[in-house]
Each structure stands twice: as C-alpha cells, then as structure tokens.
PDB file of all heavy atoms in Angstrom:
ATOM      1  N   TRP A 204       0.797  -1.229   0.000  1.00  0.00           N
ATOM      2  CA  TRP A 204      -0.001   0.000  -0.001  1.00  0.00           C
ATOM      3  C   TRP A 204       0.835   1.285   0.001  1.00  0.00           C
ATOM      4  O   TRP A 204       0.266   2.376  -0.060  1.00  0.00           O
ATOM      5  CB  TRP A 204      -0.940   0.011   1.205  1.00  0.00           C
ATOM      6  CG  TRP A 204      -0.307  -0.431   2.476  1.00  0.00           C
ATOM      7  CD1 TRP A 204       0.484   0.286   3.314  1.00  0.00           C
ATOM      8  CD2 TRP A 204      -0.399  -1.736   3.061  1.00  0.00           C
ATOM      9  NE1 TRP A 204       0.895  -0.464   4.378  1.00  0.00           N
ATOM     10  CE2 TRP A 204       0.357  -1.714   4.262  1.00  0.00           C
ATOM     11  CE3 TRP A 204      -1.055  -2.914   2.697  1.00  0.00           C
ATOM     12  CZ2 TRP A 204       0.469  -2.831   5.080  1.00  0.00           C
ATOM     13  CZ3 TRP A 204      -0.934  -4.012   3.517  1.00  0.00           C
ATOM     14  CH2 TRP A 204      -0.191  -3.978   4.681  1.00  0.00           C
ATOM     15  N   VAL A 205       2.170   1.193   0.063  1.00  0.00           N
ATOM     16  CA  VAL A 205       2.995   2.406  -0.007  1.00  0.00           C
ATOM     17  C   VAL A 205       3.905   2.427  -1.240  1.00  0.00           C
ATOM     18  O   VAL A 205       4.702   3.356  -1.393  1.00  0.00           O
ATOM     19  CB  VAL A 205       3.869   2.574   1.263  1.00  0.00           C
ATOM     20  CG1 VAL A 205       2.997   2.759   2.482  1.00  0.00           C
ATOM     21  CG2 VAL A 205       4.821   1.404   1.432  1.00  0.00           C
ATOM     22  N   ARG A 206       3.771   1.440  -2.098  1.00  0.00           N
ATOM     23  CA  ARG A 206       4.657   1.382  -3.259  1.00  0.00           C
ATOM     24  C   ARG A 206       4.397   2.503  -4.253  1.00  0.00           C
ATOM     25  O   ARG A 206       5.265   2.859  -5.040  1.00  0.00           O
ATOM     26  CB  ARG A 206       4.519   0.012  -3.939  1.00  0.00           C
ATOM     27  CG  ARG A 206       5.140  -1.103  -3.101  1.00  0.00           C
ATOM     28  CD  ARG A 206       4.858  -2.477  -3.629  1.00  0.00           C
ATOM     29  NE  ARG A 206       5.367  -3.504  -2.714  1.00  0.00           N
ATOM     30  CZ  ARG A 206       5.078  -4.792  -2.787  1.00  0.00           C
ATOM     31  NH1 ARG A 206       4.269  -5.227  -3.757  1.00  0.00           N
ATOM     32  NH2 ARG A 206       5.579  -5.643  -1.915  1.00  0.00           N
ATOM     33  N   ASP A 207       3.211   3.056  -4.226  1.00  0.00           N
ATOM     34  CA  ASP A 207       2.891   4.178  -5.108  1.00  0.00           C
ATOM     35  C   ASP A 207       2.880   5.509  -4.364  1.00  0.00           C
ATOM     36  O   ASP A 207       2.492   6.537  -4.918  1.00  0.00           O
ATOM     37  CB  ASP A 207       1.530   3.956  -5.776  1.00  0.00           C
ATOM     38  CG  ASP A 207       1.528   2.760  -6.711  1.00  0.00           C
ATOM     39  OD1 ASP A 207       2.584   2.483  -7.309  1.00  0.00           O
ATOM     40  OD2 ASP A 207       0.481   2.091  -6.832  1.00  0.00           O
ATOM     41  N   VAL A 208       3.285   5.489  -3.103  1.00  0.00           N
ATOM     42  CA  VAL A 208       3.321   6.714  -2.294  1.00  0.00           C
ATOM     43  C   VAL A 208       4.719   7.314  -2.368  1.00  0.00           C
ATOM     44  O   VAL A 208       5.707   6.659  -2.046  1.00  0.00           O
ATOM     45  CB  VAL A 208       2.955   6.424  -0.826  1.00  0.00           C
ATOM     46  CG1 VAL A 208       3.042   7.703   0.004  1.00  0.00           C
ATOM     47  CG2 VAL A 208       1.565   5.814  -0.734  1.00  0.00           C
ATOM     48  N   SER A 209       4.780   8.548  -2.804  1.00  0.00           N
ATOM     49  CA  SER A 209       6.067   9.223  -2.939  1.00  0.00           C
ATOM     50  C   SER A 209       6.286  10.173  -1.758  1.00  0.00           C
ATOM     51  O   SER A 209       5.445  11.045  -1.482  1.00  0.00           O
ATOM     52  CB  SER A 209       6.108  10.013  -4.256  1.00  0.00           C
ATOM     53  OG  SER A 209       7.314  10.735  -4.366  1.00  0.00           O
ATOM     54  N   VAL A 210       7.405   9.996  -1.069  1.00  0.00           N
ATOM     55  CA  VAL A 210       7.756  10.871   0.061  1.00  0.00           C
ATOM     56  C   VAL A 210       9.072  11.555  -0.270  1.00  0.00           C
ATOM     57  O   VAL A 210      10.151  10.981  -0.135  1.00  0.00           O
ATOM     58  CB  VAL A 210       7.881  10.062   1.363  1.00  0.00           C
ATOM     59  CG1 VAL A 210       8.253  10.991   2.510  1.00  0.00           C
ATOM     60  CG2 VAL A 210       6.576   9.325   1.666  1.00  0.00           C
ATOM     61  N   SER A 211       8.992  12.791  -0.723  1.00  0.00           N
ATOM     62  CA  SER A 211      10.195  13.524  -1.105  1.00  0.00           C
ATOM     63  C   SER A 211      10.923  14.092   0.108  1.00  0.00           C
ATOM     64  O   SER A 211      12.139  14.214   0.123  1.00  0.00           O
ATOM     65  CB  SER A 211       9.836  14.655  -2.072  1.00  0.00           C
ATOM     66  OG  SER A 211       8.870  15.511  -1.493  1.00  0.00           O
ATOM     67  N   ASN A 212      10.147  14.437   1.123  1.00  0.00           N
ATOM     68  CA  ASN A 212      10.732  15.029   2.343  1.00  0.00           C
ATOM     69  C   ASN A 212      10.067  14.396   3.562  1.00  0.00           C
ATOM     70  O   ASN A 212       8.895  14.664   3.848  1.00  0.00           O
ATOM     71  CB  ASN A 212      10.513  16.539   2.344  1.00  0.00           C
ATOM     72  CG  ASN A 212      11.264  17.228   3.468  1.00  0.00           C
ATOM     73  OD1 ASN A 212      11.401  16.684   4.565  1.00  0.00           O
ATOM     74  ND2 ASN A 212      11.763  18.418   3.204  1.00  0.00           N
ATOM     75  N   PRO A 213      10.776  13.563   4.319  1.00  0.00           N
ATOM     76  CA  PRO A 213      10.187  12.901   5.497  1.00  0.00           C
ATOM     77  C   PRO A 213       9.617  13.873   6.520  1.00  0.00           C
ATOM     78  O   PRO A 213       8.577  13.602   7.130  1.00  0.00           O
ATOM     79  CB  PRO A 213      11.363  12.114   6.075  1.00  0.00           C
ATOM     80  CG  PRO A 213      12.272  11.879   4.914  1.00  0.00           C
ATOM     81  CD  PRO A 213      12.151  13.113   4.069  1.00  0.00           C
ATOM     82  N   LEU A 214      10.282  15.015   6.707  1.00  0.00           N
ATOM     83  CA  LEU A 214       9.787  15.983   7.686  1.00  0.00           C
ATOM     84  C   LEU A 214       8.444  16.569   7.252  1.00  0.00           C
ATOM     85  O   LEU A 214       7.553  16.779   8.078  1.00  0.00           O
ATOM     86  CB  LEU A 214      10.815  17.093   7.888  1.00  0.00           C
ATOM     87  CG  LEU A 214      12.114  16.691   8.603  1.00  0.00           C
ATOM     88  CD1 LEU A 214      13.053  17.887   8.716  1.00  0.00           C
ATOM     89  CD2 LEU A 214      11.819  16.107   9.985  1.00  0.00           C
ATOM     90  N   THR A 215       8.310  16.832   5.952  1.00  0.00           N
ATOM     91  CA  THR A 215       7.045  17.337   5.434  1.00  0.00           C
ATOM     92  C   THR A 215       5.946  16.291   5.599  1.00  0.00           C
ATOM     93  O   THR A 215       4.806  16.618   5.942  1.00  0.00           O
ATOM     94  CB  THR A 215       7.187  17.713   3.948  1.00  0.00           C
ATOM     95  OG1 THR A 215       8.185  18.729   3.817  1.00  0.00           O
ATOM     96  CG2 THR A 215       5.869  18.218   3.389  1.00  0.00           C
ATOM     97  N   PHE A 216       6.297  15.030   5.346  1.00  0.00           N
ATOM     98  CA  PHE A 216       5.347  13.933   5.513  1.00  0.00           C
ATOM     99  C   PHE A 216       4.847  13.884   6.959  1.00  0.00           C
ATOM    100  O   PHE A 216       3.632  13.794   7.210  1.00  0.00           O
ATOM    101  CB  PHE A 216       6.007  12.605   5.135  1.00  0.00           C
ATOM    102  CG  PHE A 216       5.110  11.415   5.274  1.00  0.00           C
ATOM    103  CD1 PHE A 216       4.300  11.012   4.223  1.00  0.00           C
ATOM    104  CD2 PHE A 216       5.073  10.686   6.464  1.00  0.00           C
ATOM    105  CE1 PHE A 216       3.469   9.895   4.358  1.00  0.00           C
ATOM    106  CE2 PHE A 216       4.244   9.581   6.605  1.00  0.00           C
ATOM    107  CZ  PHE A 216       3.450   9.186   5.545  1.00  0.00           C
ATOM    108  N   VAL A 217       5.758  13.969   7.907  1.00  0.00           N
ATOM    109  CA  VAL A 217       5.384  13.926   9.326  1.00  0.00           C
ATOM    110  C   VAL A 217       4.525  15.123   9.693  1.00  0.00           C
ATOM    111  O   VAL A 217       3.516  14.997  10.408  1.00  0.00           O
ATOM    112  CB  VAL A 217       6.641  13.866  10.211  1.00  0.00           C
ATOM    113  CG1 VAL A 217       6.267  14.032  11.684  1.00  0.00           C
ATOM    114  CG2 VAL A 217       7.394  12.563  10.000  1.00  0.00           C
ATOM    115  N   LEU A 218       4.892  16.299   9.203  1.00  0.00           N
ATOM    116  CA  LEU A 218       4.105  17.505   9.477  1.00  0.00           C
ATOM    117  C   LEU A 218       2.695  17.367   8.912  1.00  0.00           C
ATOM    118  O   LEU A 218       1.715  17.757   9.567  1.00  0.00           O
ATOM    119  CB  LEU A 218       4.796  18.734   8.886  1.00  0.00           C
ATOM    120  CG  LEU A 218       4.067  20.074   9.081  1.00  0.00           C
ATOM    121  CD1 LEU A 218       3.924  20.392  10.565  1.00  0.00           C
ATOM    122  CD2 LEU A 218       4.816  21.194   8.369  1.00  0.00           C
ATOM    123  N   ASP A 219       2.588  16.812   7.720  1.00  0.00           N
ATOM    124  CA  ASP A 219       1.267  16.612   7.106  1.00  0.00           C
ATOM    125  C   ASP A 219       0.432  15.618   7.905  1.00  0.00           C
ATOM    126  O   ASP A 219      -0.798  15.754   7.970  1.00  0.00           O
ATOM    127  CB  ASP A 219       1.426  16.119   5.663  1.00  0.00           C
ATOM    128  CG  ASP A 219       1.885  17.205   4.720  1.00  0.00           C
ATOM    129  OD1 ASP A 219       1.777  18.391   5.093  1.00  0.00           O
ATOM    130  OD2 ASP A 219       2.360  16.877   3.612  1.00  0.00           O
ATOM    131  N   VAL A 220       1.076  14.628   8.506  1.00  0.00           N
ATOM    132  CA  VAL A 220       0.345  13.680   9.357  1.00  0.00           C
ATOM    133  C   VAL A 220      -0.208  14.403  10.580  1.00  0.00           C
ATOM    134  O   VAL A 220      -1.378  14.221  10.951  1.00  0.00           O
ATOM    135  CB  VAL A 220       1.266  12.516   9.793  1.00  0.00           C
ATOM    136  CG1 VAL A 220       0.582  11.677  10.873  1.00  0.00           C
ATOM    137  CG2 VAL A 220       1.625  11.639   8.600  1.00  0.00           C
ATOM    138  N   PHE A 221       0.600  15.262  11.187  1.00  0.00           N
ATOM    139  CA  PHE A 221       0.158  15.997  12.381  1.00  0.00           C
ATOM    140  C   PHE A 221      -0.963  16.982  12.062  1.00  0.00           C
ATOM    141  O   PHE A 221      -1.820  17.245  12.914  1.00  0.00           O
ATOM    142  CB  PHE A 221       1.341  16.733  13.015  1.00  0.00           C
ATOM    143  CG  PHE A 221       2.100  15.912  14.011  1.00  0.00           C
ATOM    144  CD1 PHE A 221       3.209  15.172  13.625  1.00  0.00           C
ATOM    145  CD2 PHE A 221       1.703  15.868  15.339  1.00  0.00           C
ATOM    146  CE1 PHE A 221       3.919  14.409  14.546  1.00  0.00           C
ATOM    147  CE2 PHE A 221       2.396  15.108  16.271  1.00  0.00           C
ATOM    148  CZ  PHE A 221       3.505  14.372  15.869  1.00  0.00           C
ATOM    149  N   THR A 222      -0.955  17.544  10.860  1.00  0.00           N
ATOM    150  CA  THR A 222      -1.988  18.520  10.486  1.00  0.00           C
ATOM    151  C   THR A 222      -3.156  17.874   9.750  1.00  0.00           C
ATOM    152  O   THR A 222      -4.015  18.576   9.196  1.00  0.00           O
ATOM    153  CB  THR A 222      -1.381  19.624   9.603  1.00  0.00           C
ATOM    154  OG1 THR A 222      -0.791  19.037   8.436  1.00  0.00           O
ATOM    155  CG2 THR A 222      -0.338  20.406  10.378  1.00  0.00           C
ATOM    156  N   LEU A 223      -3.192  16.541   9.727  1.00  0.00           N
ATOM    157  CA  LEU A 223      -4.274  15.779   9.099  1.00  0.00           C
ATOM    158  C   LEU A 223      -4.402  16.068   7.603  1.00  0.00           C
ATOM    159  O   LEU A 223      -5.505  16.159   7.067  1.00  0.00           O
ATOM    160  CB  LEU A 223      -5.602  16.045   9.814  1.00  0.00           C
ATOM    161  CG  LEU A 223      -5.634  15.735  11.316  1.00  0.00           C
ATOM    162  CD1 LEU A 223      -7.025  15.984  11.885  1.00  0.00           C
ATOM    163  CD2 LEU A 223      -5.188  14.312  11.602  1.00  0.00           C
ATOM    164  N   HIS A 224      -3.256  16.205   6.946  1.00  0.00           N
ATOM    165  CA  HIS A 224      -3.231  16.358   5.495  1.00  0.00           C
ATOM    166  C   HIS A 224      -2.656  15.119   4.804  1.00  0.00           C
ATOM    167  O   HIS A 224      -2.565  15.086   3.581  1.00  0.00           O
ATOM    168  CB  HIS A 224      -2.393  17.582   5.092  1.00  0.00           C
ATOM    169  CG  HIS A 224      -3.102  18.886   5.301  1.00  0.00           C
ATOM    170  ND1 HIS A 224      -3.196  19.492   6.541  1.00  0.00           N
ATOM    171  CD2 HIS A 224      -3.752  19.706   4.432  1.00  0.00           C
ATOM    172  CE1 HIS A 224      -3.864  20.640   6.415  1.00  0.00           C
ATOM    173  NE2 HIS A 224      -4.214  20.791   5.148  1.00  0.00           N
ATOM    174  N   GLN A 225      -2.234  14.140   5.604  1.00  0.00           N
ATOM    175  CA  GLN A 225      -1.625  12.933   5.057  1.00  0.00           C
ATOM    176  C   GLN A 225      -2.136  11.714   5.816  1.00  0.00           C
ATOM    177  O   GLN A 225      -2.204  11.724   7.048  1.00  0.00           O
ATOM    178  CB  GLN A 225      -0.097  12.990   5.167  1.00  0.00           C
ATOM    179  CG  GLN A 225       0.626  11.734   4.724  1.00  0.00           C
ATOM    180  CD  GLN A 225       0.551  11.519   3.218  1.00  0.00           C
ATOM    181  OE1 GLN A 225       0.938  12.387   2.440  1.00  0.00           O
ATOM    182  NE2 GLN A 225       0.058  10.352   2.814  1.00  0.00           N
ATOM    183  N   THR A 226      -2.500  10.684   5.086  1.00  0.00           N
ATOM    184  CA  THR A 226      -2.911   9.437   5.708  1.00  0.00           C
ATOM    185  C   THR A 226      -2.448   8.287   4.845  1.00  0.00           C
ATOM    186  O   THR A 226      -1.820   8.489   3.796  1.00  0.00           O
ATOM    187  CB  THR A 226      -4.444   9.395   5.900  1.00  0.00           C
ATOM    188  OG1 THR A 226      -4.794   8.247   6.675  1.00  0.00           O
ATOM    189  CG2 THR A 226      -5.167   9.337   4.564  1.00  0.00           C
ATOM    190  N   LEU A 227      -2.753   7.063   5.269  1.00  0.00           N
ATOM    191  CA  LEU A 227      -2.400   5.865   4.522  1.00  0.00           C
ATOM    192  C   LEU A 227      -3.557   4.878   4.589  1.00  0.00           C
ATOM    193  O   LEU A 227      -4.542   5.096   5.307  1.00  0.00           O
ATOM    194  CB  LEU A 227      -1.136   5.200   5.100  1.00  0.00           C
ATOM    195  CG  LEU A 227       0.226   5.848   4.833  1.00  0.00           C
ATOM    196  CD1 LEU A 227       1.306   5.039   5.529  1.00  0.00           C
ATOM    197  CD2 LEU A 227       0.514   5.960   3.343  1.00  0.00           C
ATOM    198  N   TYR A 228      -3.406   3.806   3.876  1.00  0.00           N
ATOM    199  CA  TYR A 228      -4.355   2.699   3.943  1.00  0.00           C
ATOM    200  C   TYR A 228      -4.558   2.282   5.402  1.00  0.00           C
ATOM    201  O   TYR A 228      -3.594   2.138   6.161  1.00  0.00           O
ATOM    202  CB  TYR A 228      -3.794   1.535   3.122  1.00  0.00           C
ATOM    203  CG  TYR A 228      -4.508   0.221   3.288  1.00  0.00           C
ATOM    204  CD1 TYR A 228      -5.824   0.053   2.853  1.00  0.00           C
ATOM    205  CD2 TYR A 228      -3.864  -0.869   3.872  1.00  0.00           C
ATOM    206  CE1 TYR A 228      -6.471  -1.163   2.996  1.00  0.00           C
ATOM    207  CE2 TYR A 228      -4.498  -2.092   4.015  1.00  0.00           C
ATOM    208  CZ  TYR A 228      -5.805  -2.233   3.577  1.00  0.00           C
ATOM    209  OH  TYR A 228      -6.442  -3.439   3.728  1.00  0.00           O
ATOM    210  N   LEU A 229      -5.802   2.127   5.828  1.00  0.00           N
ATOM    211  CA  LEU A 229      -6.236   1.737   7.166  1.00  0.00           C
ATOM    212  C   LEU A 229      -6.150   2.844   8.206  1.00  0.00           C
ATOM    213  O   LEU A 229      -6.932   2.847   9.163  1.00  0.00           O
ATOM    214  CB  LEU A 229      -5.458   0.514   7.683  1.00  0.00           C
ATOM    215  CG  LEU A 229      -5.649  -0.796   6.904  1.00  0.00           C
ATOM    216  CD1 LEU A 229      -4.871  -1.929   7.575  1.00  0.00           C
ATOM    217  CD2 LEU A 229      -7.115  -1.164   6.784  1.00  0.00           C
ATOM    218  N   THR A 230      -5.224   3.790   8.061  1.00  0.00           N
ATOM    219  CA  THR A 230      -5.165   4.877   9.043  1.00  0.00           C
ATOM    220  C   THR A 230      -6.099   6.035   8.663  1.00  0.00           C
ATOM    221  O   THR A 230      -6.239   6.988   9.430  1.00  0.00           O
ATOM    222  CB  THR A 230      -3.729   5.422   9.196  1.00  0.00           C
ATOM    223  OG1 THR A 230      -3.314   6.042   7.985  1.00  0.00           O
ATOM    224  CG2 THR A 230      -2.775   4.301   9.555  1.00  0.00           C
ATOM    225  N   ASP A 231      -6.729   5.923   7.483  1.00  0.00           N
ATOM    226  CA  ASP A 231      -7.680   6.958   7.083  1.00  0.00           C
ATOM    227  C   ASP A 231      -8.972   6.880   7.893  1.00  0.00           C
ATOM    228  O   ASP A 231      -9.680   7.881   8.037  1.00  0.00           O
ATOM    229  CB  ASP A 231      -7.990   6.862   5.589  1.00  0.00           C
ATOM    230  CG  ASP A 231      -8.440   5.469   5.174  1.00  0.00           C
ATOM    231  OD1 ASP A 231      -8.328   4.532   5.986  1.00  0.00           O
ATOM    232  OD2 ASP A 231      -8.873   5.300   4.022  1.00  0.00           O
ATOM    233  N   ILE A 232      -9.264   5.716   8.448  1.00  0.00           N
ATOM    234  CA  ILE A 232     -10.504   5.566   9.204  1.00  0.00           C
ATOM    235  C   ILE A 232     -10.477   6.358  10.517  1.00  0.00           C
ATOM    236  O   ILE A 232     -11.404   7.130  10.790  1.00  0.00           O
ATOM    237  CB  ILE A 232     -10.810   4.077   9.451  1.00  0.00           C
ATOM    238  CG1 ILE A 232     -11.062   3.378   8.107  1.00  0.00           C
ATOM    239  CG2 ILE A 232     -12.011   3.905  10.374  1.00  0.00           C
ATOM    240  CD1 ILE A 232     -11.337   1.899   8.214  1.00  0.00           C
ATOM    241  N   PRO A 233      -9.445   6.222  11.368  1.00  0.00           N
ATOM    242  CA  PRO A 233      -9.426   7.063  12.578  1.00  0.00           C
ATOM    243  C   PRO A 233      -9.363   8.552  12.265  1.00  0.00           C
ATOM    244  O   PRO A 233      -9.893   9.372  13.029  1.00  0.00           O
ATOM    245  CB  PRO A 233      -8.182   6.584  13.339  1.00  0.00           C
ATOM    246  CG  PRO A 233      -7.363   5.833  12.348  1.00  0.00           C
ATOM    247  CD  PRO A 233      -8.333   5.255  11.374  1.00  0.00           C
ATOM    248  N   MET A 234      -8.734   8.920  11.126  1.00  0.00           N
ATOM    249  CA  MET A 234      -8.734  10.329  10.740  1.00  0.00           C
ATOM    250  C   MET A 234     -10.157  10.792  10.448  1.00  0.00           C
ATOM    251  O   MET A 234     -10.574  11.879  10.868  1.00  0.00           O
ATOM    252  CB  MET A 234      -7.851  10.573   9.520  1.00  0.00           C
ATOM    253  CG  MET A 234      -7.894  12.013   9.027  1.00  0.00           C
ATOM    254  SD  MET A 234      -6.973  12.325   7.512  1.00  0.00           S
ATOM    255  CE  MET A 234      -5.297  12.279   8.131  1.00  0.00           C
ATOM    256  N   MET A 235     -10.916   9.964   9.737  1.00  0.00           N
ATOM    257  CA  MET A 235     -12.297  10.316   9.418  1.00  0.00           C
ATOM    258  C   MET A 235     -13.115  10.495  10.698  1.00  0.00           C
ATOM    259  O   MET A 235     -13.907  11.433  10.821  1.00  0.00           O
ATOM    260  CB  MET A 235     -12.916   9.233   8.533  1.00  0.00           C
ATOM    261  CG  MET A 235     -14.371   9.484   8.180  1.00  0.00           C
ATOM    262  SD  MET A 235     -15.035   8.277   6.994  1.00  0.00           S
ATOM    263  CE  MET A 235     -14.981   6.772   7.982  1.00  0.00           C
ATOM    264  N   TYR A 236     -12.918   9.614  11.673  1.00  0.00           N
ATOM    265  CA  TYR A 236     -13.638   9.729  12.935  1.00  0.00           C
ATOM    266  C   TYR A 236     -13.254  10.987  13.690  1.00  0.00           C
ATOM    267  O   TYR A 236     -14.087  11.605  14.358  1.00  0.00           O
ATOM    268  CB  TYR A 236     -13.365   8.506  13.806  1.00  0.00           C
ATOM    269  CG  TYR A 236     -14.202   7.307  13.441  1.00  0.00           C
ATOM    270  CD1 TYR A 236     -13.628   6.192  12.858  1.00  0.00           C
ATOM    271  CD2 TYR A 236     -15.570   7.297  13.687  1.00  0.00           C
ATOM    272  CE1 TYR A 236     -14.395   5.088  12.521  1.00  0.00           C
ATOM    273  CE2 TYR A 236     -16.341   6.203  13.352  1.00  0.00           C
ATOM    274  CZ  TYR A 236     -15.745   5.097  12.773  1.00  0.00           C
ATOM    275  OH  TYR A 236     -16.510   4.015  12.436  1.00  0.00           O
ATOM    276  N   THR A 237     -12.003  11.383  13.613  1.00  0.00           N
ATOM    277  CA  THR A 237     -11.563  12.609  14.279  1.00  0.00           C
ATOM    278  C   THR A 237     -12.334  13.808  13.738  1.00  0.00           C
ATOM    279  O   THR A 237     -12.851  14.636  14.509  1.00  0.00           O
ATOM    280  CB  THR A 237     -10.055  12.823  14.079  1.00  0.00           C
ATOM    281  OG1 THR A 237      -9.333  11.708  14.607  1.00  0.00           O
ATOM    282  CG2 THR A 237      -9.585  14.092  14.781  1.00  0.00           C
ATOM    283  N   PHE A 238     -12.422  13.901  12.420  1.00  0.00           N
ATOM    284  CA  PHE A 238     -13.175  15.000  11.803  1.00  0.00           C
ATOM    285  C   PHE A 238     -14.649  14.941  12.197  1.00  0.00           C
ATOM    286  O   PHE A 238     -15.280  15.965  12.489  1.00  0.00           O
ATOM    287  CB  PHE A 238     -13.043  14.942  10.283  1.00  0.00           C
ATOM    288  CG  PHE A 238     -11.739  15.473   9.753  1.00  0.00           C
ATOM    289  CD1 PHE A 238     -10.941  14.688   8.930  1.00  0.00           C
ATOM    290  CD2 PHE A 238     -11.312  16.745  10.066  1.00  0.00           C
ATOM    291  CE1 PHE A 238      -9.744  15.178   8.429  1.00  0.00           C
ATOM    292  CE2 PHE A 238     -10.113  17.246   9.585  1.00  0.00           C
ATOM    293  CZ  PHE A 238      -9.332  16.446   8.751  1.00  0.00           C
ATOM    294  N   MET A 239     -15.228  13.747  12.186  1.00  0.00           N
ATOM    295  CA  MET A 239     -16.647  13.603  12.507  1.00  0.00           C
ATOM    296  C   MET A 239     -16.939  14.026  13.941  1.00  0.00           C
ATOM    297  O   MET A 239     -17.954  14.674  14.214  1.00  0.00           O
ATOM    298  CB  MET A 239     -17.089  12.159  12.292  1.00  0.00           C
ATOM    299  CG  MET A 239     -17.242  11.759  10.841  1.00  0.00           C
ATOM    300  SD  MET A 239     -17.760  10.036  10.683  1.00  0.00           S
ATOM    301  CE  MET A 239     -17.910   9.890   8.890  1.00  0.00           C
ATOM    302  N   LEU A 240     -16.049  13.657  14.853  1.00  0.00           N
ATOM    303  CA  LEU A 240     -16.286  14.003  16.247  1.00  0.00           C
ATOM    304  C   LEU A 240     -16.157  15.504  16.483  1.00  0.00           C
ATOM    305  O   LEU A 240     -16.866  16.075  17.314  1.00  0.00           O
ATOM    306  CB  LEU A 240     -15.311  13.234  17.149  1.00  0.00           C
ATOM    307  CG  LEU A 240     -15.956  12.563  18.363  1.00  0.00           C
ATOM    308  CD1 LEU A 240     -17.045  11.603  17.912  1.00  0.00           C
ATOM    309  CD2 LEU A 240     -14.927  11.823  19.185  1.00  0.00           C
ATOM    310  N   LEU A 241     -15.252  16.147  15.759  1.00  0.00           N
ATOM    311  CA  LEU A 241     -15.154  17.604  15.849  1.00  0.00           C
ATOM    312  C   LEU A 241     -16.452  18.248  15.369  1.00  0.00           C
ATOM    313  O   LEU A 241     -16.974  19.176  15.992  1.00  0.00           O
ATOM    314  CB  LEU A 241     -13.972  18.101  15.012  1.00  0.00           C
ATOM    315  CG  LEU A 241     -12.575  17.830  15.571  1.00  0.00           C
ATOM    316  CD1 LEU A 241     -11.513  18.184  14.539  1.00  0.00           C
ATOM    317  CD2 LEU A 241     -12.347  18.615  16.861  1.00  0.00           C
ATOM    318  N   GLY A 242     -16.971  17.749  14.257  1.00  0.00           N
ATOM    319  CA  GLY A 242     -18.233  18.277  13.744  1.00  0.00           C
ATOM    320  C   GLY A 242     -19.403  17.963  14.660  1.00  0.00           C
ATOM    321  O   GLY A 242     -20.337  18.766  14.796  1.00  0.00           O
ATOM    322  N   ALA A 243     -19.352  16.795  15.326  1.00  0.00           N
ATOM    323  CA  ALA A 243     -20.445  16.401  16.205  1.00  0.00           C
ATOM    324  C   ALA A 243     -20.568  17.326  17.406  1.00  0.00           C
ATOM    325  O   ALA A 243     -21.667  17.567  17.905  1.00  0.00           O
ATOM    326  CB  ALA A 243     -20.238  14.964  16.663  1.00  0.00           C
ATOM    327  N   ALA A 244     -19.447  17.849  17.873  1.00  0.00           N
ATOM    328  CA  ALA A 244     -19.491  18.788  18.999  1.00  0.00           C
ATOM    329  C   ALA A 244     -20.299  20.028  18.625  1.00  0.00           C
ATOM    330  O   ALA A 244     -21.049  20.574  19.445  1.00  0.00           O
ATOM    331  CB  ALA A 244     -18.079  19.171  19.413  1.00  0.00           C
ATOM    332  N   LEU A 245     -20.157  20.479  17.381  1.00  0.00           N
ATOM    333  CA  LEU A 245     -20.947  21.621  16.911  1.00  0.00           C
ATOM    334  C   LEU A 245     -22.391  21.226  16.626  1.00  0.00           C
ATOM    335  O   LEU A 245     -23.324  21.994  16.875  1.00  0.00           O
ATOM    336  CB  LEU A 245     -20.302  22.193  15.643  1.00  0.00           C
ATOM    337  CG  LEU A 245     -18.874  22.724  15.785  1.00  0.00           C
ATOM    338  CD1 LEU A 245     -18.335  23.180  14.438  1.00  0.00           C
ATOM    339  CD2 LEU A 245     -18.826  23.868  16.789  1.00  0.00           C
TER     340      LEU A 245
END
C-alpha cells in the first residue's frame, strides 16, 4: 500500500500527518472519525 506513495521530504510527511493532510491505507478511518467528532461537537 505504499509502493505508489512518494515521500520527497520525510519531515514534510510527518508535518502533514500531524496537520491531518496525510494518511495511509487503514489509518484513514481514525482520521475520518476525528473529523466527525469535531463536527459532532458543533
């Protein structure tokens, strides 16, 4: 699932993970729940 994923800068990749701009196979589900729960509070 990462053979087609290009990471030119590891630090940028990590930063994108922290800012919820980057995900991978299977880890997209908890990201989706994070967004939903934020919206649910409103």
Side-chain angles (χ1 to χ4, degrees):
W204 44 80
V205 296
R206 289 172 185 168
D207 295 328
V208 178
S209 177
V210 180
S211 56
N212 188 324
L214 291 179
T215 300
F216 180 88
V217 172
L218 179 61
D219 286 343
V220 170
F221 272 93
T222 58
L223 303 183
H224 283 80
Q225 175 70 56
T226 188
L227 285 179
Y228 169 66
L229 296 183
T230 66
D231 53 350
I232 296 178
M234 176 185 286
M235 178 174 66
Y236 279 110
T237 301
F238 282 125
M239 286 180 178
L240 227 57
L241 287 171
L245 299 177

